[in-house]
Amino acid sequence: MHLMDLKGWSQDPPLLSPHLRVGSRDKEVLLELPVPVRPSEGNDNSEALPESIPSAPGTLPHFMEEPDDAYIIKSNPIVLRCKAMPAMQIFFKCNGEWVHQNEHVSEESMDEATGLKVREVFINVTRQQVEDFHGPEDYWCQCVAWSHLGTSKSRKASVRIAYLRKNFEQDPQGKEVPIEGMIVLHCRPPEGVPAAEVEWLKNEEPIDSNLDENIDTRADHNLIIRQARLSDSGNYTCMAANIVAKRRSMSATVVVYVNGGWSSWTEWSNCNARCGRGWQKRSRTCTNPAPLNGGAFCEGMSVQKITCTSLCPVDGNWEVWSEWSVCSPECEHLRVRECIAPAPRNGGKYCEGLSQESENCTEGLCIQDIETASDIALYSGLGAAVIAVAVLVVGVTLYRRSQSEYGVDVIDSSALTGGFQTFNFKTVRQGNSLLLNSSMQPDLTVSRTYSGPICLQDPMDKELMTESSLFNPLSDIKVKVQSSFMVSLGVTERAEYHGKAHSGTFPHGNARGFGTIQARNKAAYIQNLSSISTRNELKTTAIFGHLGGRLVVPNTGVSLLVPHGAIPEESSWEIYLAINPRESSLQPEGPDVLLGPEVTCGPSDVSVSSPFALTIPHCAEVNSEHWNIHLKKRTQQGKWEEVMSVEEETTSCYCLLDPYACHILLNSFGTYALIGEPISECAVRQLKVAVFGCLSCNSLDYNLRVYCMDNTPCAFQEVVLDERLQGGQLLDEPKLLHFKGNTFSLQISVLDIPPFLWRIKPFTACQEVPFSRVWCSNQKPLHCAFSLERYTPATTQLSCKICVRQVKGHEQILQIQTSILENERETIAFFAHDDSNFPAQMGAKAFKIPYSIRQRICATFDTPNAKGKDWQMLAQKNSISRNLSYFATQSSPSAVILDLWEARHQHDGDLDSLACALEEIGRTHSKISDITETEIEEPDFNYSRQNGL
C-alpha cells in the first residue's frame, strides 16, 4: 500500500499535488486536481498526514455519503466512495494507514443552496489487497475530510471476500411419518460470506409458508409441517444462496403413510350345520382405513368362528292307514292317514303323498245309474207278470241270485270282463310309484336309489327293479316283478375289469362319443344299455412291466399312460385306475367347482423313473380370463392339498388343459381332482342335457326324465347306469348347454304336446332349478321328471319338445319323436366309441408311435442345436408353449413331450399331424417313404406310406 509522503508541515493546511493516481499499481491514471500542491521533496521525516489541520473561519465537513460495507466477488475490485461538504480535501485511511494520493479519484462541485464546496472521492480495493491483510479484524477503510475549521471522520466500512462453500453442513433426511404426525426436516447450509439464505422446494416447486399455515420455514432454516397430510408426501430439497452462488442439498423423500384399521364386524352367519353341532362366523376387513403408502396392516383376526347347535329338522311320516270306510252309494270307500308319526318339526319336510285314498268297493262292477237298473228290473217283472206269474217268480229268483254274486245290478257286459266306462263312474287311481305328485316339486339334487311298488304284469320269473328317489320313497318295500322291457334289454351285472392283453383305444376328449351328431344319424348314436358298466365297479387293473402300457376306465374319459422305461427292467407292478364314488370327499369352498371326477391311481407306495400321464375330463370352457383351475391331491390323512395351478410355472409336475380334458404328467400315484375357481361371471360350466323316457305302470302314462350333468363321459355314464335300472330309453341326442356363473337359474319345460292325444298335469310343464343347485352340484346329475298321459291306449307315438335354458343365457331344444312301444323302438348306442372291451393295453400296442421311430425322434431333438431346432421346437409344434422348464429338467425332454402327445391322441392316433410337424421343423433324418412296413409291426397302425411316420 502506498502512503502519501508529505514533508515540511507548517501552520497552514498543506496544499496537495494537483495530480491523483487512480487505479491499481500496474495501471495508474493521473487526474488533475484544481488545488495547488506544495512541493514536499527533500523532507523524509514526515510519514503521515496530521489528524487535524488548522482551519479557517467556516464549518466542519459534513459527510453526505459515507463508505458502505462491501464484498469482493471472485476477482472483481470494489469501489468505496465518500462525499462531504464543505471539504477542501478528502482522503481514505485503510487499516490505520493512509491510502496513497495516487489511488484517489476526486470530484469537486458547488452546492447551489449554500455556496459551499462539495467534494467526492473514490478508491478501489482489490481482492489481493484484502488477502494480503492479516489483522485481528476485517479489512476496513475510513474517510477523513478537511475544511477551514478542521477535520471529520466517516464510519468504518469493512471489505470482505464473498464465497459460498459447496457442501451443506447438514442435508435434510427422508422420513416416513403417520398421517397427522409432525414432520421436521433439518437443513444447515454451507458456510459462506455473506451468510446464505435458505429456501425449500417440494417436487422442484418453491414452498411459501405464508400460503400454508401448516408449514413453518422460519426456525433456523428447518422445515416444520405441524400435521402431516397425504398431500405432503414428496421430495424436499433445501436451497442455499448468497451473492456468490446457489447450492442444492440432497433430496429428502417424505412418505406420509396410513396404518390400516378394521371395519365393523359383520353379523354372525347362519349355523352351517342344518342339524346338530356346527359353526358360524363373522368377518371384518382392513378398510377403515385401508393401509396406504406402506402403512401397517391391521393386527388381529379378520374372521371369528364360534360353535353353534341347530335343532335337527324332523321330517314328517305317515301313520298307518285307517280301516276302509263303508261302501258309499257311489260304490267307493275311503281310508285316511295323518302325518303324525312323527309330525314334521324344526323345518322338517311334510309327508309326501296323499292323506286320503278312495277306490271302488265292488271290484269294478258298480254302475252309478242305479235308478236305470231298477227300472229295467221293474219292466222285466211287469212283462213277465203279463205272460205268467210263474215265469215272474222264476225270473225274480234268477235276478236275486245274480245280485248276490255281484252285489249290484249289472247290465253292461263289459263289467264282467274287467272293462270300465269312464262315463259310468269316477275313479281315483291307486298310488302309482311312477307318477309325480302334481302339487309337489321334486328334489332335483337327490340321487339315491331305492325300491318302490310297481305293477305286477305277469306271473313269470321276476327281476328286481328299483326306482329313483324322485318317486315315492318306500325304501323298505321290494317287489319282484317281471318287466317286459327289462327282459328285452338283457340286464346283466358287470364284473370288474382286469385287462391283460386286450387291444384297443379309448376316445379322446376332443372326439367325444356323445358329441354333436346329425339327427339323421341318431339311430347310429343310441344303443342298448346292457353294455354299460355298473356304478360301483368303475375301476381297471392290469400288470405292467418295463414296456409300459395304458389303463382306461371305459366310457368315462379317464385314462393312465405308463411310458416305456418308467418301470425298472425285470419288474412288474399291478397298477390300478379308479373313479371314486360320485359323493366326492372334496368339498369346494365358496364358488369353487369340482370340474371332473375324483380319480385314484396306484399303488401309492411306488414311484416311477419317468413321468406317467393321467387324463381327467373336465366340464369348464377353457379361458384363463374366466377360470383359475387348480390340481389337488388327497393326503394320507384324508385332507386335500393343492399341487399346482394349471397356469403355474413349476418343475414338479405339468398340466396341459385341452378343451375337454386335462393331461397331467406326474411322478407319484395318488388321488387327484380338478377344482375350478371362477374369476368372473363369464365363467362357463358346460352341461350335457339328455332326455330319457319309459312307460309307467299305468299303461296310459309315459315318464320323461331330463338330466343336466357335467359335460364329461363319466357323468354321462352315471346317468346311463341309473336309467338302465329304471328301464329308460334315450330319446334324443344329448345337447351341450353353456351355463354361466352369473347367478341366474335354470328352467326346464315341455313344449308342443300334441293336443287331444297327450296331456300333462296343470302347472307341471315347467320347472325351475336355482343357480346354486346347478353350479354347486359337485358331480351329482340334476334331473326333472314330467309325467304325460295318453287320452287313449291307441296313441303309440309321442312328439314334443324339451326346452332347457338359463335365464338370460344359453338355450337348447331337444326334439322328442319316439314310439312308446318297446317293440317299435330303435336300437340306440350311448357312446359312439365304446372302449369297454379294451380297459388295458400293455407294451407296444398301447402306443401310437412305433418304438423305433420314437427313439429316432428323441435322439434327434434331445441334442441342443444353435438354430433352435431342438426339443423346444418340437414342443412348440405340438402346441406346448408354457412351462418349458419342466421338460428341461427331464433326462429326455423329447420323450416326455411324446408321452404327452400319446395321452392327448389316445383315440385318434393322428400320426399325420405329428409327421407334418416334424417336416416343418426340418429335423427328420428320413423321409416318410423311407419307413418300411416292417417297422410298423402292430396291426393297429395300418398307415399308408404317404401318411405314416
Side-chain angles (χ1 to χ4, degrees):
M1 181 180 295
H2 300 284
L3 298 177
M4 186 172 57
D5 189 9
L6 298 177
K7 301 180 180 178
W9 287 101
S10 65
Q11 296 296 326
D12 299 327
L15 296 176
L16 301 180
S17 171
H19 301 283
L20 282 179
R21 188 176 285 116
V22 179
S24 63
R25 290 172 181 168
D26 297 332
K27 295 181 180 181
E28 295 182 347
V29 178
L30 295 179
L31 298 179
E32 186 176 345
L33 298 176
V35 181
V37 178
R38 178 176 294 171
S40 57
E41 289 82 355
N43 190 358
D44 297 332
N45 297 326
S46 298
E47 296 181 357
L49 290 175
E51 292 293 332
S52 64
I53 300 177
S55 58
T59 61
L60 289 173
H62 167 67
F63 285 99
M64 301 174 65
E65 183 177 349
E66 297 183 80
D68 294 325
D69 297 336
Y71 297 93
I72 295 177
I73 302 174
K74 297 183 180 179
S75 298
N76 299 323
I78 56 98
V79 178
L80 298 179
R81 66 181 62 205
C82 190
K83 188 175 183 181
M85 179 187 68
M88 296 175 61
Q89 294 291 344
I90 301 176
F91 286 95
F92 272 94
K93 193 177 187 178
C94 293
N95 300 321
E97 297 182 0
W98 293 104
V99 178
H100 194 276
Q101 63 178 353
N102 293 338
E103 297 183 6
H104 289 72
V105 177
S106 178
E107 293 181 358
E108 185 178 301
S109 62
M110 183 71 71
D111 184 29
E112 296 179 357
T114 61
L116 299 176
K117 288 183 177 182
V118 177
R119 187 172 293 277
E120 186 175 6
V121 177
F122 307 89
I123 67 169
N124 287 341
V125 179
T126 66
R127 182 185 185 96
Q128 188 66 38
Q129 290 172 333
V130 177
E131 289 178 349
D132 291 344
F133 173 70
H134 301 286
E137 56 184 349
D138 292 335
Y139 188 100
W140 61 269
C141 292
Q142 183 182 37
C143 283
V144 180
W146 284 269
S147 71
H148 294 289
L149 295 181
T151 62
S152 297
K153 297 180 180 180
S154 70
R155 63 178 293 275
K156 290 182 179 180
S158 64
V159 179
R160 305 174 67 186
I161 297 175
Y163 68 92
L164 183 63
R165 300 194 184 279
K166 291 184 178 181
N167 297 326
F168 279 72
E169 295 184 6
Q170 182 178 1
D171 285 300
Q173 302 297 317
K175 294 181 179 292
E176 293 183 358
V177 295
I179 194 168
E180 297 184 355
M182 177 178 285
I183 303 174
V184 179
L185 298 180
H186 298 281
C187 176
R188 292 177 61 188
E191 179 187 352
V193 175
E197 295 182 357
V198 171
E199 181 184 26
W200 284 92
L201 303 179
K202 175 189 174 184
N203 299 330
E204 303 302 325
E205 295 293 332
I207 296 175
D208 190 352
S209 60
N210 296 325
L211 301 179
D212 192 345
E213 297 179 352
N214 195 39
I215 298 178
D216 185 6
T217 59
R218 297 169 295 178
D220 196 20
H221 307 307
N222 297 329
L223 174 66
I224 299 176
I225 302 178
R226 297 181 180 87
Q227 288 186 330
R229 301 155 296 194
L230 289 176
S231 60
D232 291 327
S233 297
N235 296 320
Y236 288 82
T237 308
C238 182
M239 291 287 296
N242 65 4
I243 60 176
V244 180
K246 289 184 178 181
R247 302 283 186 258
R248 288 173 59 96
S249 70
M250 300 292 291
S251 292
T253 301
V254 173
V255 177
V256 180
Y257 61 85
V258 179
N259 291 325
W262 289 113
S263 65
S264 300
W265 288 102
T266 61
E267 297 293 332
W268 288 103
S269 66
N270 296 328
C271 194
N272 72 320
R274 186 169 177 261
C275 171
R277 187 179 181 84
W279 54 264
Q280 55 186 155
K281 66 179 181 178
R282 65 176 183 174
S283 60
R284 57 180 179 175
T285 57
C286 190
T287 56
N288 187 31
L292 191 64
N293 294 339
F297 197 80
C298 305
E299 296 182 357
M301 298 184 300
S302 61
V303 178
Q304 282 186 345
K305 290 186 178 181
I306 59 174
T307 58
C308 57
T309 303
S310 299
L311 295 176
C312 295
V314 177
D315 294 337
N317 195 16
W318 293 112
E319 64 174 348
V320 297
W321 287 101
S322 65
E323 296 294 331
W324 288 104
S325 66
V326 179
C327 194
S328 67
E330 289 79 17
C331 303
E332 291 183 346
H333 59 177
L334 304 175
R335 66 174 180 176
V336 296
R337 59 179 178 175
E338 295 185 11
C339 187
I340 57 173
R345 61 178 182 273
N346 301 332
K349 296 181 180 179
Y350 194 79
C351 303
E352 296 182 0
L354 300 175
S355 61
Q356 176 177 305
E357 267 189 353
S358 64
E359 68 175 16
N360 191 285
C361 53
T362 61
E363 297 183 2
L365 303 180
C366 178
I367 299 179
Q368 290 186 355
D369 195 356
I370 303 298
E371 294 181 0
T372 303
S374 301
D375 291 342
I376 294 175
L378 178 59
Y379 296 149
S380 300
L382 292 177
V386 173
I387 298 172
V389 175
V391 175
L392 176 60
V393 172
V394 174
V396 171
T397 303
L398 295 176
Y399 182 80
R400 295 291 185 183
R401 288 182 180 179
S402 64
Q403 280 292 64
S404 64
E405 181 178 356
Y406 295 103
V408 69
D409 291 330
V410 177
I411 299 303
D412 191 349
S413 62
S414 64
L416 298 177
T417 60
F420 294 91
Q421 302 301 321
T422 57
F423 55 85
N424 283 348
F425 65 99
K426 297 186 297 180
T427 62
V428 178
R429 290 197 187 99
Q430 201 167 354
N432 188 342
S433 62
L434 296 182
L435 292 181
L436 289 174
N437 189 336
S438 61
S439 63
M440 188 175 305
Q441 293 295 328
D443 185 354
L444 303 177
T445 61
V446 179
S447 59
R448 300 185 304 270
T449 303
Y450 52 84
S451 301
I454 10 187
C455 304
L456 297 176
Q457 296 187 359
D458 107 45
M460 297 171 60
D461 294 338
K462 304 171 180 67
E463 296 287 336
L464 179 62
M465 174 174 165
T466 60
E467 291 295 334
S468 167
S469 62
L470 186 64
F471 308 117
N472 188 21
L474 301 177
S475 57
D476 55 339
I477 300 177
K478 296 184 178 179
V479 181
K480 287 192 175 182
V481 299
Q482 188 277 336
S483 172
S484 59
F485 50 81
M486 290 293 287
V487 171
S488 66
L489 292 178
V491 176
T492 59
E493 296 296 329
R494 189 201 69 152
E496 181 179 6
Y497 288 111
H498 290 276
K500 296 287 181 171
H502 300 291
S503 63
T505 59
F506 156 65
H508 178 249
N510 293 335
R512 284 239 143 86
F514 42 96
T516 303
I517 299 177
Q518 299 297 329
R520 62 178 179 271
N521 297 328
K522 186 166 61 176
Y525 180 78
I526 309 179
Q527 90 177 359
N528 201 303
L529 292 166
S530 59
S531 64
I532 308 304
S533 344
T534 57
R535 178 184 299 110
N536 58 350
E537 295 293 344
L538 295 179
K539 179 179 179 181
T540 303
T541 304
I543 297 178
F544 290 92
H546 183 69
L547 297 180
R550 188 193 306 268
L551 279 179
V552 174
V553 180
N555 300 328
T556 63
V558 178
S559 65
L560 177 70
L561 180 75
V562 180
H564 183 283
I567 299 176
E569 292 189 25
E570 300 181 358
S571 297
S572 60
W573 296 342
E574 184 179 15
I575 297 178
Y576 62 86
L577 179 66
I579 298 177
N580 295 355
R582 65 171 66 172
E583 292 293 340
S584 173
S585 62
L586 176 57
Q587 300 297 327
E589 298 181 355
D592 292 358
V593 176
L594 185 61
L595 297 178
E598 181 182 312
V599 177
T600 299
C601 54
S604 58
D605 55 347
V606 299
S607 59
V608 292
S609 58
S610 59
F612 62 87
L614 177 63
T615 299
I616 301 178
H618 67 82
C619 62
E621 186 178 73
V622 179
N623 190 324
S624 59
E625 296 181 358
H626 305 322
W627 284 104
N628 186 11
I629 299 178
H630 305 267
L631 175 67
K632 291 197 174 185
K633 180 180 181 181
R634 188 169 62 189
T635 63
Q636 294 181 352
Q637 293 76 24
K639 296 182 179 180
W640 287 87
E641 61 181 16
E642 182 169 332
V643 178
M644 67 173 293
S645 172
V646 171
E647 299 297 327
E648 181 182 349
E649 299 284 333
T650 179
T651 58
S652 60
C653 60
Y654 187 89
C655 286
L656 181 62
L657 203 63
D658 277 344
Y660 298 104
C662 183
H663 309 283
I664 312 162
L665 296 177
L666 299 162
N667 287 91
S668 60
F669 295 104
T671 300
Y672 296 92
L674 289 174
I675 293 293
E677 175 190 359
I679 16 183
S680 73
E681 291 187 352
C682 296
V684 172
R685 184 174 185 178
Q686 295 179 338
L687 301 180
K688 184 152 298 283
V689 181
V691 181
F692 291 80
C694 69
L695 273 173
S696 169
C697 290
N698 184 339
S699 60
L700 293 178
D701 292 344
Y702 192 78
N703 294 322
L704 294 177
R705 289 184 288 275
V706 183
Y707 290 84
C708 296
M709 72 214 83
D710 288 340
N711 185 32
T712 61
C714 178
F716 186 61
Q717 169 132 299
E718 290 287 342
V719 173
V720 170
L721 293 174
D722 279 344
E723 283 299 318
R724 191 190 77 171
L725 298 177
Q726 299 179 36
Q729 176 77 18
L730 184 62
L731 301 182
D732 190 23
E733 171 193 347
K735 299 292 180 66
L736 190 62
L737 181 73
H738 299 282
F739 191 80
K740 289 187 176 181
N742 54 12
T743 71
F744 288 106
S745 59
L746 186 72
Q747 292 181 346
I748 304 174
S749 54
V750 182
L751 307 175
D752 298 345
I753 300 175
F756 309 113
L757 296 177
W758 293 86
R759 64 184 174 187
I760 190 171
K761 293 182 179 180
F763 310 110
T764 62
C766 180
Q767 300 185 29
E768 185 164 347
V769 186
F771 170 83
S772 59
R773 293 280 186 90
V774 182
W775 191 259
C776 304
S777 60
N778 197 18
Q779 297 296 296
K780 293 181 292 186
L782 302 177
H783 65 284
C784 293
F786 300 91
S787 180
L788 305 181
E789 183 180 0
R790 293 179 289 174
Y791 282 94
T792 171
T795 302
T796 60
Q797 297 293 322
L798 173 61
S799 174
C800 65
K801 294 179 181 179
I802 303 293
C803 176
V804 182
R805 62 181 291 267
Q806 185 182 19
V807 178
K808 298 184 179 180
H810 191 213
E811 178 182 84
Q812 283 288 11
I813 301 292
L814 292 91
Q815 182 68 52
I816 307 303
Q817 184 74 42
T818 185
S819 171
I820 64 174
L821 300 179
E822 297 173 23
N823 55 2
E824 296 181 7
R825 290 177 182 168
E826 297 176 347
T827 301
I828 327 188
F830 286 101
F831 299 95
H833 301 280
D834 188 356
D835 53 10
S836 59
N837 295 326
F838 311 105
Q841 295 175 288
M842 281 72 69
K845 292 184 178 182
F847 302 97
K848 305 301 178 183
I849 305 174
Y851 185 65
S852 60
I853 304 301
R854 176 188 176 95
Q855 283 183 313
R856 292 167 59 183
I857 294 175
C858 293
T860 302
F861 288 96
D862 282 342
T863 305
N865 187 285
K867 296 182 180 180
K869 297 180 179 179
D870 54 12
W871 64 266
Q872 298 188 41
M873 181 68 71
L874 178 65
Q876 180 182 354
K877 291 299 181 181
N878 284 278
S879 304
I880 302 172
S881 58
R882 184 187 54 81
N883 195 14
L884 295 182
S885 58
Y886 172 82
F887 300 96
T889 61
Q890 305 298 322
S891 58
S892 176
S894 301
V896 179
I897 293 173
L898 294 179
D899 291 338
L900 193 56
W901 184 93
E902 292 276 3
R904 299 176 71 185
H905 299 83
Q906 56 182 302
H907 173 68
D908 53 47
D910 190 7
L911 292 176
D912 295 343
S913 63
L914 180 60
C916 291
L918 296 176
E919 289 183 0
E920 288 179 9
I921 300 174
R923 288 290 303 274
T924 50
H925 288 276
S926 60
K927 299 296 182 180
I928 299 175
S929 58
D930 293 338
I931 301 177
T932 63
E933 295 178 358
T934 57
E935 290 181 304
I936 304 177
E937 299 175 352
E938 300 298 334
D940 294 339
F941 302 99
N942 186 19
Y943 310 119
S944 66
R945 291 175 179 261
Q946 290 74 23
N947 297 323
L949 271 176

